[in-house]
Structure formats: structure tokens, C-alpha cells
Amino acid sequence: MAEITTYNFRIVPQDVDFTLRASASSIISYMLNVAGIDADNKGFGVERLQSNSYTWVLSRLVIDMENMPRVNEDYCIETWVTKVYRQFTDRHFDILAPDGTPYGQATSIWALINIETRQPADLTKLPDGGFGDVMIPEREIHIKGPGRLRLSKDAPLIDTHKAGYSDLDIN
């Protein structure tokens, strides 16, 4: 039976911004590290995959933080996989205070890429049953996942009346 995995951390001085709260980049870094550690522990981590010429590529990431932990505060990240599509898989995160109060949530979409061909792998045809034994599809998700912004030829590039997550990088 699959289970949600919890990883515990403490915010150290190099992880904070001028408000003495965790910076967004440090939270993201911890989440991506947790994704890698969790995949390793469940048998589909990068080291194992690279021996067969595959690697994980982060396709999309959405983060919704209500609050940020302060310097020297403990927090945990829970992570689990909910779905496997043909070329993508969903991984979710809850960022929590020790008492269970949520700091925030995140959802990510990953692709498995063949290193030699640079083509995505078909996740539904993985040997040994793929990820079926590690998925937790029934866990409630409190964040809307990333979407796609589809523009028609005549549509304005930005519609100021509609806002939402997209896969466009607007930095």
C-alpha cells in the first residue's frame, strides 16, 4: 500500500530573506530535493533511471503559500504521486508546521525523458508495472494544477479580465 511520505526540516539562516522568513527559492529547492529523495526511496529515482538512459524533467510547478516558516522554525513537506498519464506524472506537496497547520501546497508535473533520444518515455508501458503501487489518487488536493493558455490567432496576448495558472513563463 502506498503512503504519503513526510520529510522534516528546519529553516536555517541561509534559507531566509530580509523578513527572516523562508525565501521562495529555498522552499522550492527543498520541495525538488524531496521529490528526488522520495523517488529514490520508491525505486524510480534518477540514479536508477540514468543507468537505463532516462531522467526526470520538471515540466510545471504551481505553489500556493499562505505563510512562510521563520528562521529556526521546524516544518515538514509531505509528498505523494496521484496520477500517471502517458507522458507525465503528477506529484503533490503539502508544506506544514509541526502542529499540522498548512504553510502552503504545491503541485508539479514531471516527464520521464530518454537521455539519448531526448524523447519522453511512455509511462504507461514501464516495466514492473510502473508506478501503480506508489500512487495515492484518493488524497485530496487543495490547489489547482497548472493549465495551458490557448490563444486564438485574433485574441489579444493578455486578457486583463482573466487570470490563472499557465505554462507560460512571464519573468
Side-chain angles (χ1 to χ4, degrees), residues 95-153:
I95 301 95
L96 306 167
D99 66 0
T101 303
Y103 283 120
Q105 309 82 36
T107 186
S108 58
I109 299 176
W110 298 80
L112 186 64
I113 303 293
N114 183 300
I115 296 169
E116 295 168 4
T117 66
R118 305 285 187 208
Q119 296 298 310
D122 186 340
L123 296 173
T124 63
K125 296 181 180 175
L126 290 176
D128 301 326
F131 304 101
D133 59 340
V134 299
M135 290 192 311
I136 305 176
E138 66 277 0
R139 172 77 182 249
E140 187 176 356
I141 310 299
H142 301 284
I143 184 172
K144 181 181 176 188
R148 292 203 136 204
L149 184 60
R150 302 206 188 268
L151 299 175
S152 69
K153 190 168 70 172

Short mmCIF file of all heavy atoms in Angstrom, two decimals, residues 95-153:
data_model
loop_
_atom_site.label_atom_id
_atom_site.label_comp_id
_atom_site.label_asym_id
_atom_site.label_seq_id
_atom_site.Cartn_x
_atom_site.Cartn_y
_atom_site.Cartn_z
N ILE A 95 3.18 21.69 2.58
CA ILE A 95 4.22 22.25 3.43
C ILE A 95 3.53 22.62 4.73
O ILE A 95 2.59 23.44 4.73
CB ILE A 95 4.89 23.48 2.78
CG1 ILE A 95 5.51 23.09 1.42
CG2 ILE A 95 5.97 24.05 3.67
CD1 ILE A 95 4.66 23.34 0.25
N LEU A 96 3.95 22.00 5.85
CA LEU A 96 3.21 22.08 7.11
C LEU A 96 4.09 22.48 8.28
O LEU A 96 5.27 22.11 8.35
CB LEU A 96 2.58 20.72 7.42
CG LEU A 96 1.70 20.09 6.35
CD1 LEU A 96 1.43 18.64 6.67
CD2 LEU A 96 0.42 20.88 6.21
N ALA A 97 3.48 23.19 9.23
CA ALA A 97 4.11 23.45 10.53
C ALA A 97 4.07 22.15 11.33
O ALA A 97 3.29 21.24 11.02
CB ALA A 97 3.36 24.56 11.26
N PRO A 98 4.89 22.04 12.39
CA PRO A 98 4.88 20.80 13.19
C PRO A 98 3.51 20.42 13.75
O PRO A 98 3.22 19.24 13.92
CB PRO A 98 5.86 21.10 14.32
CG PRO A 98 6.78 22.12 13.75
CD PRO A 98 5.92 22.96 12.84
N ASP A 99 2.65 21.41 13.99
CA ASP A 99 1.31 21.10 14.52
C ASP A 99 0.31 20.75 13.42
O ASP A 99 -0.87 20.54 13.69
CB ASP A 99 0.80 22.26 15.37
CG ASP A 99 0.53 23.53 14.57
OD1 ASP A 99 0.74 23.55 13.33
OD2 ASP A 99 0.10 24.53 15.18
N GLY A 100 0.77 20.70 12.17
CA GLY A 100 -0.11 20.35 11.06
C GLY A 100 -0.73 21.53 10.35
O GLY A 100 -1.42 21.36 9.34
N THR A 101 -0.51 22.75 10.86
CA THR A 101 -1.03 23.95 10.20
C THR A 101 -0.35 24.10 8.84
O THR A 101 0.88 24.05 8.76
CB THR A 101 -0.75 25.21 11.05
OG1 THR A 101 -1.32 25.02 12.34
CG2 THR A 101 -1.31 26.45 10.39
N PRO A 102 -1.14 24.29 7.79
CA PRO A 102 -0.51 24.39 6.47
C PRO A 102 0.18 25.73 6.24
O PRO A 102 -0.39 26.78 6.53
CB PRO A 102 -1.68 24.21 5.50
CG PRO A 102 -2.89 24.54 6.27
CD PRO A 102 -2.60 24.28 7.72
N TYR A 103 1.40 25.66 5.75
CA TYR A 103 2.07 26.86 5.21
C TYR A 103 1.66 27.04 3.76
O TYR A 103 1.51 28.14 3.29
CB TYR A 103 3.59 26.71 5.28
CG TYR A 103 4.17 26.91 6.66
CD1 TYR A 103 4.88 25.90 7.27
CD2 TYR A 103 4.05 28.13 7.32
CE1 TYR A 103 5.44 26.08 8.53
CE2 TYR A 103 4.60 28.32 8.58
CZ TYR A 103 5.30 27.29 9.17
OH TYR A 103 5.85 27.47 10.41
N GLY A 104 1.51 25.93 3.05
CA GLY A 104 1.15 26.02 1.64
C GLY A 104 1.09 24.65 1.00
O GLY A 104 1.29 23.62 1.65
N GLN A 105 0.79 24.67 -0.29
CA GLN A 105 0.69 23.46 -1.08
C GLN A 105 1.37 23.71 -2.42
O GLN A 105 1.55 24.85 -2.84
CB GLN A 105 -0.76 23.07 -1.38
CG GLN A 105 -1.69 23.01 -0.20
CD GLN A 105 -2.23 24.36 0.20
OE1 GLN A 105 -2.50 25.20 -0.63
NE2 GLN A 105 -2.38 24.58 1.50
N ALA A 106 1.71 22.63 -3.08
CA ALA A 106 2.27 22.73 -4.43
C ALA A 106 1.88 21.50 -5.22
O ALA A 106 1.60 20.44 -4.65
CB ALA A 106 3.79 22.85 -4.36
N THR A 107 1.84 21.66 -6.51
CA THR A 107 1.60 20.54 -7.41
C THR A 107 2.59 20.66 -8.55
O THR A 107 2.93 21.76 -8.99
CB THR A 107 0.14 20.50 -7.89
OG1 THR A 107 -0.07 19.31 -8.64
CG2 THR A 107 -0.24 21.70 -8.70
N SER A 108 3.07 19.52 -9.01
CA SER A 108 4.07 19.53 -10.07
C SER A 108 3.75 18.45 -11.09
O SER A 108 3.07 17.47 -10.79
CB SER A 108 5.47 19.30 -9.49
OG SER A 108 5.52 18.06 -8.79
N ILE A 109 4.25 18.66 -12.30
CA ILE A 109 4.08 17.70 -13.37
C ILE A 109 5.48 17.39 -13.90
O ILE A 109 6.26 18.29 -14.19
CB ILE A 109 3.18 18.25 -14.50
CG1 ILE A 109 1.78 18.54 -13.93
CG2 ILE A 109 3.12 17.28 -15.66
CD1 ILE A 109 0.84 19.17 -14.92
N TRP A 110 5.77 16.09 -13.98
CA TRP A 110 7.09 15.61 -14.38
C TRP A 110 6.99 14.74 -15.62
O TRP A 110 6.01 14.02 -15.80
CB TRP A 110 7.70 14.78 -13.25
CG TRP A 110 7.92 15.56 -12.00
CD1 TRP A 110 6.98 15.88 -11.06
CD2 TRP A 110 9.15 16.12 -11.54
NE1 TRP A 110 7.56 16.61 -10.04
CE2 TRP A 110 8.89 16.76 -10.32
CE3 TRP A 110 10.44 16.13 -12.05
CZ2 TRP A 110 9.88 17.42 -9.61
CZ3 TRP A 110 11.43 16.79 -11.34
CH2 TRP A 110 11.15 17.42 -10.13
N ALA A 111 8.02 14.79 -16.45
CA ALA A 111 8.14 13.91 -17.61
C ALA A 111 9.39 13.06 -17.44
O ALA A 111 10.40 13.51 -16.90
CB ALA A 111 8.23 14.72 -18.89
N LEU A 112 9.32 11.83 -17.92
CA LEU A 112 10.48 10.94 -17.95
C LEU A 112 11.04 10.99 -19.37
O LEU A 112 10.34 10.66 -20.33
CB LEU A 112 10.06 9.52 -17.57
CG LEU A 112 11.18 8.51 -17.42
CD1 LEU A 112 12.11 8.90 -16.26
CD2 LEU A 112 10.61 7.12 -17.18
N ILE A 113 12.30 11.42 -19.50
CA ILE A 113 12.91 11.67 -20.81
C ILE A 113 14.04 10.67 -21.05
O ILE A 113 14.85 10.42 -20.16
CB ILE A 113 13.48 13.11 -20.89
CG1 ILE A 113 12.39 14.14 -20.61
CG2 ILE A 113 14.16 13.37 -22.22
CD1 ILE A 113 11.32 14.22 -21.65
N ASN A 114 14.11 10.15 -22.25
CA ASN A 114 15.24 9.32 -22.65
C ASN A 114 16.41 10.26 -22.92
O ASN A 114 16.32 11.15 -23.77
CB ASN A 114 14.90 8.50 -23.90
CG ASN A 114 16.02 7.58 -24.31
OD1 ASN A 114 17.12 8.01 -24.60
ND2 ASN A 114 15.71 6.29 -24.34
N ILE A 115 17.51 10.06 -22.23
CA ILE A 115 18.67 10.96 -22.33
C ILE A 115 19.28 10.92 -23.73
O ILE A 115 19.74 11.94 -24.24
CB ILE A 115 19.72 10.58 -21.27
CG1 ILE A 115 19.16 10.81 -19.86
CG2 ILE A 115 21.01 11.38 -21.47
CD1 ILE A 115 20.03 10.23 -18.75
N GLU A 116 19.30 9.77 -24.36
CA GLU A 116 19.94 9.64 -25.67
C GLU A 116 19.09 10.21 -26.79
O GLU A 116 19.60 10.91 -27.67
CB GLU A 116 20.26 8.18 -25.94
CG GLU A 116 21.30 7.63 -24.98
CD GLU A 116 21.43 6.12 -25.02
OE1 GLU A 116 20.77 5.47 -25.85
OE2 GLU A 116 22.21 5.60 -24.20
N THR A 117 17.79 9.93 -26.77
CA THR A 117 16.93 10.39 -27.87
C THR A 117 16.26 11.73 -27.58
O THR A 117 15.71 12.34 -28.48
CB THR A 117 15.81 9.36 -28.14
OG1 THR A 117 14.94 9.30 -27.01
CG2 THR A 117 16.39 7.99 -28.46
N ARG A 118 16.29 12.15 -26.31
CA ARG A 118 15.62 13.39 -25.88
C ARG A 118 14.10 13.32 -26.05
O ARG A 118 13.42 14.33 -26.11
CB ARG A 118 16.15 14.62 -26.61
CG ARG A 118 17.63 14.82 -26.52
CD ARG A 118 18.00 15.33 -25.17
NE ARG A 118 19.43 15.67 -25.16
CZ ARG A 118 20.17 15.65 -24.10
NH1 ARG A 118 19.66 15.31 -22.96
NH2 ARG A 118 21.42 15.97 -24.15
N GLN A 119 13.57 12.13 -26.13
CA GLN A 119 12.13 11.92 -26.29
C GLN A 119 11.52 11.48 -24.97
O GLN A 119 12.16 10.79 -24.18
CB GLN A 119 11.86 10.86 -27.36
CG GLN A 119 12.33 11.26 -28.74
CD GLN A 119 11.63 12.49 -29.25
OE1 GLN A 119 10.39 12.59 -29.22
NE2 GLN A 119 12.40 13.46 -29.70
N PRO A 120 10.26 11.85 -24.72
CA PRO A 120 9.60 11.39 -23.50
C PRO A 120 9.29 9.90 -23.55
O PRO A 120 9.02 9.35 -24.62
CB PRO A 120 8.30 12.22 -23.45
CG PRO A 120 8.08 12.67 -24.85
CD PRO A 120 9.42 12.74 -25.52
N ALA A 121 9.35 9.28 -22.38
CA ALA A 121 9.02 7.86 -22.26
C ALA A 121 7.51 7.72 -22.11
O ALA A 121 6.84 8.61 -21.60
CB ALA A 121 9.71 7.27 -21.05
N ASP A 122 6.99 6.60 -22.55
CA ASP A 122 5.58 6.28 -22.35
C ASP A 122 5.46 5.65 -20.96
O ASP A 122 5.81 4.49 -20.77
CB ASP A 122 5.07 5.34 -23.43
CG ASP A 122 3.57 5.10 -23.35
OD1 ASP A 122 2.97 5.35 -22.26
OD2 ASP A 122 2.99 4.66 -24.35
N LEU A 123 4.96 6.42 -20.00
CA LEU A 123 4.90 5.97 -18.61
C LEU A 123 3.90 4.84 -18.40
O LEU A 123 3.97 4.14 -17.40
CB LEU A 123 4.56 7.15 -17.70
CG LEU A 123 5.61 8.25 -17.67
CD1 LEU A 123 5.11 9.45 -16.88
CD2 LEU A 123 6.91 7.75 -17.09
N THR A 124 2.99 4.66 -19.33
CA THR A 124 2.01 3.58 -19.19
C THR A 124 2.60 2.24 -19.59
O THR A 124 1.99 1.21 -19.37
CB THR A 124 0.75 3.85 -20.03
OG1 THR A 124 1.12 3.88 -21.42
CG2 THR A 124 0.09 5.16 -19.64
N LYS A 125 3.80 2.22 -20.17
CA LYS A 125 4.42 0.98 -20.63
C LYS A 125 5.73 0.68 -19.89
O LYS A 125 6.60 0.01 -20.41
CB LYS A 125 4.70 1.06 -22.12
CG LYS A 125 3.42 1.17 -22.94
CD LYS A 125 3.71 1.24 -24.41
CE LYS A 125 2.40 1.34 -25.18
NZ LYS A 125 2.63 1.51 -26.60
N LEU A 126 5.85 1.18 -18.67
CA LEU A 126 7.06 0.94 -17.89
C LEU A 126 7.11 -0.51 -17.42
O LEU A 126 6.08 -1.11 -17.13
CB LEU A 126 7.11 1.87 -16.68
CG LEU A 126 7.36 3.34 -16.98
CD1 LEU A 126 7.29 4.15 -15.69
CD2 LEU A 126 8.70 3.55 -17.64
N PRO A 127 8.32 -1.07 -17.32
CA PRO A 127 8.43 -2.44 -16.81
C PRO A 127 8.05 -2.50 -15.34
O PRO A 127 8.03 -1.48 -14.65
CB PRO A 127 9.91 -2.77 -17.03
CG PRO A 127 10.61 -1.47 -17.15
CD PRO A 127 9.60 -0.49 -17.68
N ASP A 128 7.78 -3.66 -14.84
CA ASP A 128 7.44 -3.91 -13.43
C ASP A 128 6.21 -3.14 -12.98
O ASP A 128 6.09 -2.76 -11.82
CB ASP A 128 8.63 -3.55 -12.52
CG ASP A 128 9.87 -4.35 -12.86
OD1 ASP A 128 9.73 -5.52 -13.27
OD2 ASP A 128 10.97 -3.80 -12.72
N GLY A 129 5.29 -2.83 -13.88
CA GLY A 129 4.04 -2.18 -13.50
C GLY A 129 4.13 -0.68 -13.29
O GLY A 129 3.15 -0.06 -12.91
N GLY A 130 5.28 -0.09 -13.53
CA GLY A 130 5.41 1.36 -13.40
C GLY A 130 5.20 1.86 -11.99
O GLY A 130 5.81 1.36 -11.06
N PHE A 131 4.28 2.81 -11.83
CA PHE A 131 4.09 3.49 -10.55
C PHE A 131 2.83 3.09 -9.82
O PHE A 131 2.48 3.70 -8.82
CB PHE A 131 4.02 5.01 -10.78
CG PHE A 131 5.20 5.56 -11.50
CD1 PHE A 131 5.13 5.84 -12.84
CD2 PHE A 131 6.38 5.77 -10.83
CE1 PHE A 131 6.23 6.35 -13.51
CE2 PHE A 131 7.48 6.27 -11.48
CZ PHE A 131 7.41 6.56 -12.83
N GLY A 132 2.13 2.08 -10.31
CA GLY A 132 0.84 1.72 -9.74
C GLY A 132 0.85 1.50 -8.24
O GLY A 132 -0.10 1.84 -7.54
N ASP A 133 1.95 0.98 -7.70
CA ASP A 133 1.98 0.67 -6.28
C ASP A 133 2.40 1.85 -5.40
O ASP A 133 2.43 1.74 -4.19
CB ASP A 133 2.91 -0.52 -6.02
CG ASP A 133 4.33 -0.27 -6.49
OD1 ASP A 133 4.54 0.62 -7.33
OD2 ASP A 133 5.23 -0.99 -6.02
N VAL A 134 2.73 3.00 -5.99
CA VAL A 134 3.12 4.16 -5.17
C VAL A 134 2.14 5.32 -5.30
O VAL A 134 2.28 6.33 -4.62
CB VAL A 134 4.54 4.66 -5.51
CG1 VAL A 134 5.56 3.58 -5.24
CG2 VAL A 134 4.63 5.17 -6.93
N MET A 135 1.15 5.20 -6.16
CA MET A 135 0.20 6.31 -6.35
C MET A 135 -0.83 6.36 -5.22
O MET A 135 -1.23 5.33 -4.69
CB MET A 135 -0.51 6.18 -7.69
CG MET A 135 0.39 6.45 -8.86
SD MET A 135 -0.50 6.62 -10.41
CE MET A 135 -1.57 5.22 -10.42
N ILE A 136 -1.22 7.59 -4.90
CA ILE A 136 -2.27 7.81 -3.91
C ILE A 136 -3.31 8.74 -4.55
O ILE A 136 -3.32 9.95 -4.33
CB ILE A 136 -1.70 8.44 -2.61
CG1 ILE A 136 -0.57 7.56 -2.08
CG2 ILE A 136 -2.80 8.64 -1.58
CD1 ILE A 136 0.13 8.11 -0.88
N PRO A 137 -4.17 8.20 -5.40
CA PRO A 137 -5.11 9.05 -6.13
C PRO A 137 -6.23 9.64 -5.28
O PRO A 137 -6.83 10.64 -5.64
CB PRO A 137 -5.68 8.10 -7.20
CG PRO A 137 -5.51 6.74 -6.63
CD PRO A 137 -4.28 6.80 -5.76
N GLU A 138 -6.51 9.04 -4.12
CA GLU A 138 -7.65 9.49 -3.32
C GLU A 138 -7.32 10.66 -2.40
O GLU A 138 -8.21 11.25 -1.80
CB GLU A 138 -8.21 8.33 -2.49
CG GLU A 138 -7.28 7.80 -1.41
CD GLU A 138 -6.23 6.81 -1.90
OE1 GLU A 138 -6.18 6.48 -3.09
OE2 GLU A 138 -5.44 6.36 -1.05
N ARG A 139 -6.07 11.06 -2.26
CA ARG A 139 -5.69 12.16 -1.38
C ARG A 139 -6.24 13.47 -1.94
O ARG A 139 -6.08 13.77 -3.12
CB ARG A 139 -4.16 12.24 -1.24
CG ARG A 139 -3.62 13.45 -0.52
CD ARG A 139 -3.80 13.31 0.99
NE ARG A 139 -3.33 14.49 1.69
CZ ARG A 139 -2.26 14.54 2.46
NH1 ARG A 139 -1.56 13.44 2.66
NH2 ARG A 139 -1.91 15.65 3.06
N GLU A 140 -6.89 14.24 -1.10
CA GLU A 140 -7.50 15.50 -1.52
C GLU A 140 -6.41 16.53 -1.83
O GLU A 140 -5.46 16.70 -1.07
CB GLU A 140 -8.42 16.03 -0.42
CG GLU A 140 -9.22 17.24 -0.84
CD GLU A 140 -10.19 17.69 0.23
OE1 GLU A 140 -10.30 17.03 1.28
OE2 GLU A 140 -10.84 18.71 0.01
N ILE A 141 -6.58 17.22 -2.95
CA ILE A 141 -5.65 18.25 -3.38
C ILE A 141 -6.33 19.60 -3.19
O ILE A 141 -7.47 19.79 -3.61
CB ILE A 141 -5.28 18.07 -4.88
CG1 ILE A 141 -4.86 16.64 -5.18
CG2 ILE A 141 -4.23 19.08 -5.30
CD1 ILE A 141 -3.65 16.17 -4.45
N HIS A 142 -5.63 20.54 -2.56
CA HIS A 142 -6.22 21.84 -2.25
C HIS A 142 -5.70 22.95 -3.15
O HIS A 142 -5.82 24.12 -2.82
CB HIS A 142 -5.94 22.22 -0.79
CG HIS A 142 -6.47 21.23 0.18
ND1 HIS A 142 -7.80 21.14 0.50
CD2 HIS A 142 -5.86 20.25 0.89
CE1 HIS A 142 -8.00 20.17 1.37
NE2 HIS A 142 -6.83 19.61 1.62
N ILE A 143 -5.10 22.59 -4.26
CA ILE A 143 -4.52 23.58 -5.16
C ILE A 143 -4.88 23.21 -6.59
O ILE A 143 -4.87 22.03 -6.95
CB ILE A 143 -2.99 23.68 -4.96
CG1 ILE A 143 -2.39 24.78 -5.82
CG2 ILE A 143 -2.32 22.36 -5.21
CD1 ILE A 143 -0.92 25.04 -5.51
N LYS A 144 -5.18 24.20 -7.38
CA LYS A 144 -5.47 23.96 -8.78
C LYS A 144 -4.15 23.77 -9.52
O LYS A 144 -3.21 24.54 -9.36
CB LYS A 144 -6.22 25.16 -9.37
CG LYS A 144 -6.60 24.98 -10.82
CD LYS A 144 -7.32 26.19 -11.33
CE LYS A 144 -7.60 26.03 -12.82
NZ LYS A 144 -8.12 27.25 -13.41
N GLY A 145 -4.09 22.75 -10.32
CA GLY A 145 -2.86 22.46 -11.06
C GLY A 145 -2.65 23.43 -12.20
O GLY A 145 -3.53 24.23 -12.54
N PRO A 146 -1.48 23.36 -12.81
CA PRO A 146 -1.19 24.26 -13.93
C PRO A 146 -2.06 23.92 -15.12
O PRO A 146 -2.42 22.77 -15.33
CB PRO A 146 0.28 24.00 -14.22
CG PRO A 146 0.55 22.65 -13.68
CD PRO A 146 -0.39 22.45 -12.52
N GLY A 147 -2.39 24.92 -15.86
CA GLY A 147 -3.19 24.73 -17.06
C GLY A 147 -2.43 25.21 -18.27
O GLY A 147 -1.28 25.60 -18.19
N ARG A 148 -3.08 25.18 -19.36
CA ARG A 148 -2.49 25.66 -20.60
C ARG A 148 -3.25 26.87 -21.05
O ARG A 148 -4.48 26.91 -20.98
CB ARG A 148 -2.56 24.59 -21.68
CG ARG A 148 -1.68 23.42 -21.35
CD ARG A 148 -1.33 22.71 -22.58
NE ARG A 148 0.09 22.43 -22.44
CZ ARG A 148 0.90 22.22 -23.44
NH1 ARG A 148 0.46 22.26 -24.65
NH2 ARG A 148 2.15 21.96 -23.23
N LEU A 149 -2.56 27.86 -21.51
CA LEU A 149 -3.15 29.06 -22.06
C LEU A 149 -3.19 28.91 -23.56
O LEU A 149 -2.15 28.82 -24.22
CB LEU A 149 -2.31 30.28 -21.66
CG LEU A 149 -2.83 31.63 -22.07
CD1 LEU A 149 -4.21 31.87 -21.47
CD2 LEU A 149 -1.87 32.71 -21.64
N ARG A 150 -4.37 28.80 -24.10
CA ARG A 150 -4.51 28.62 -25.54
C ARG A 150 -5.01 29.93 -26.14
O ARG A 150 -6.03 30.47 -25.72
CB ARG A 150 -5.48 27.50 -25.83
CG ARG A 150 -5.04 26.19 -25.19
CD ARG A 150 -5.59 25.01 -25.93
NE ARG A 150 -5.32 23.79 -25.23
CZ ARG A 150 -4.26 23.04 -25.44
NH1 ARG A 150 -3.36 23.40 -26.31
NH2 ARG A 150 -4.07 21.92 -24.76
N LEU A 151 -4.29 30.42 -27.09
CA LEU A 151 -4.63 31.69 -27.73
C LEU A 151 -5.07 31.45 -29.16
O LEU A 151 -4.45 30.68 -29.89
CB LEU A 151 -3.42 32.62 -27.73
CG LEU A 151 -2.86 33.01 -26.36
CD1 LEU A 151 -1.59 33.82 -26.54
CD2 LEU A 151 -3.88 33.79 -25.58
N SER A 152 -6.14 32.13 -29.54
CA SER A 152 -6.53 32.08 -30.95
C SER A 152 -5.74 33.14 -31.69
O SER A 152 -5.13 34.03 -31.10
CB SER A 152 -8.04 32.34 -31.09
OG SER A 152 -8.33 33.68 -30.76
N LYS A 153 -5.75 33.05 -33.00
CA LYS A 153 -4.97 33.98 -33.82
C LYS A 153 -5.42 35.43 -33.61
O LYS A 153 -4.60 36.33 -33.65
CB LYS A 153 -5.13 33.57 -35.29
CG LYS A 153 -4.20 34.30 -36.22
CD LYS A 153 -4.18 33.67 -37.59
CE LYS A 153 -5.50 33.91 -38.29
NZ LYS A 153 -5.49 33.49 -39.69
#
